[in-house]
Amino acid sequence: MQIVILADAELIAKYGADLIQKQISAKPCSVLGLATGSTPVALYGELIEANRSGALSFHSVSTFNLDEYLGLEGSHPQSYRHFMNEHLFNHIDIDIHNTAVPPGNAVNPIDACRDYEASIEAKGGIDIQLLGIGRNGHIGFNEPSSGLSSRTRVKTLTQATIADNARFFSEGEFQPHLSMTMGIGTIMDSRKVVLLATGASKADAIKATVEGPLTASCPASALQMHRDAVLVLDEAAAAKLSGREFYKHTERENQKLLAQLGI
Ligand code: F6R
């Protein structure tokens, strides 16, 4: 794992956006894996800005989102499809037909999950997968106890996740307890993973992800086995890492080496 600790959320957004921008520059028809939630919103702002300025085009890019609530139409204001349209797709030059979010309104969600996996494969797999992390260590909606080689499927949300996400729903509004999510195996198949985490509420999950055992009790710990996973953290999210100073030192050394090599 590459661990990058930065001063604040703004620098994290810029760092993450830069990785995506480099990916698209190297391969204009890149396949991006995207996340919702509060954490990536500023990064999407950076991508929109880069697109507006002409520095970045999404013309040939395809995207697959991690997850969706089961039982919500894409037009529902709390659906992740709606979130992605509002926070990214409506503001960039992407072909909306090349953007995929698991269909939460599928008549047969089991078939739909299998089809989602097949569409990712048909595009040649995900080049770079963006992730947030839940306080309980979930990635996508892979809650603790999720199989470490699971594929896209229907998952039940924990009470903790339902409570965390209740802030997006108004009082009395239907809040789904089920989701469709890429599996941990699906995420592990992506060629690069970039996980962003900000704030003290994520510190325990980050500690377990980086320095805990590889265990389904902390789904993000599977990333210990990923060949190219970058964790971009603010000081608060990194606060419980015993190796914090070593990770910072390693990152400074990495940067020096890249500069020497002119990369
Ligand atoms: C969202 C997703 C979730 C979130 C996680 C963190 O598509 O898959 O795993 O990344 O719940 O959410 P925030 O960023 O709101 O703290």
Side-chain angles (χ1 to χ4, degrees):
M1 281 175 169
Q2 182 191 354
I3 297 160
V4 180
I5 303 171
L6 300 171
D8 57 40
E10 194 184 331
L11 289 175
I12 288 176
K14 285 189 194 303
Y15 191 99
D18 190 51
L19 290 178
I20 293 179
Q21 203 162 342
K22 283 192 175 118
Q23 169 64 42
I24 298 174
S25 304
K27 181 182 170 192
C29 62
S30 285
V31 180
L32 311 181
L34 299 177
T36 60
S38 311
T39 313
V41 170
L43 181 153
Y44 292 150
E46 295 287 335
L47 295 180
I48 292 167
E49 212 29 64
N51 187 230
R52 277 203 187 122
S53 73
L56 175 66
S57 173
F58 292 84
H59 183 259
S60 309
V61 164
S62 304
T63 67
F64 288 91
N65 261 78
L66 281 166
D67 44 15
E68 179 59 285
Y69 287 115
L70 198 66
L72 294 192
E73 295 284 333
S75 55
H76 190 286
Q78 307 311 338
S79 73
Y80 284 175
R81 159 55 74 184
H82 183 81
F83 177 101
M84 289 309 300
N85 289 348
E86 289 289 303
H87 289 282
L88 185 64
F89 301 147
N90 288 347
H91 311 286
I92 56 176
D93 65 342
I94 199 162
D95 178 347
I96 201 74
H97 298 106
N98 289 336
T99 69
V101 179
N105 60 347
V107 178
N108 183 334
I110 294 173
D111 282 353
C113 288
R114 207 181 38 230
D115 293 348
Y116 201 67
E117 285 281 331
S119 335
I120 295 173
E121 211 179 308
K123 286 277 184 188
I126 292 172
D127 290 302
I128 185 165
Q129 174 67 57
L130 185 62
L131 296 175
I133 184 169
R135 283 188 303 135
N136 60 7
H138 74 211
I139 46 177
F141 273 141
N142 294 284
E143 299 284 34
S145 84
S146 291
L148 296 182
S149 45
S150 48
R151 312 304 304 187
T152 303
R153 69 216 182 290
V154 173
K155 283 295 285 176
T156 307
L157 304 181
T158 58
Q159 282 307 318
T161 297
I162 293 166
D164 279 348
N165 290 354
R167 68 189 194 276
F168 298 113
F169 293 82
S170 41
E171 182 112 20
E173 190 178 9
F174 166 65
Q175 185 185 352
H177 291 192
L178 296 176
S179 67
M180 287 168 79
T181 180
M182 281 186 199
I184 300 185
T186 323
I187 294 168
M188 292 296 284
D189 280 352
S190 49
R191 288 182 269 280
K192 187 179 186 80
V193 169
V194 180
L195 183 148
L196 310 183
T198 56
S201 67
K202 303 292 173 69
D204 285 322
I206 290 299
K207 168 82 178 162
T209 299
V210 179
E211 294 176 346
L214 172 61
T215 167
S217 299
C218 175
S221 67
L223 298 177
Q224 292 174 17
M225 295 289 288
H226 196 280
R227 62 196 147 163
D228 187 3
V230 188
L231 273 61
V232 194
L233 315 172
D234 70 0
E235 292 283 354
K240 295 193 175 171
L241 293 173
S242 338
R244 208 167 57 247
E245 292 312 316
F246 173 65
Y247 308 142
K248 286 184 181 175
H249 168 68
T250 306
E251 191 47 27
R252 281 193 295 269
E253 291 299 314
N254 280 345
Q255 293 307 327
K256 258 196 249 167
L257 186 63
L258 291 177
Q260 269 168 25
L261 297 172
I263 299 174

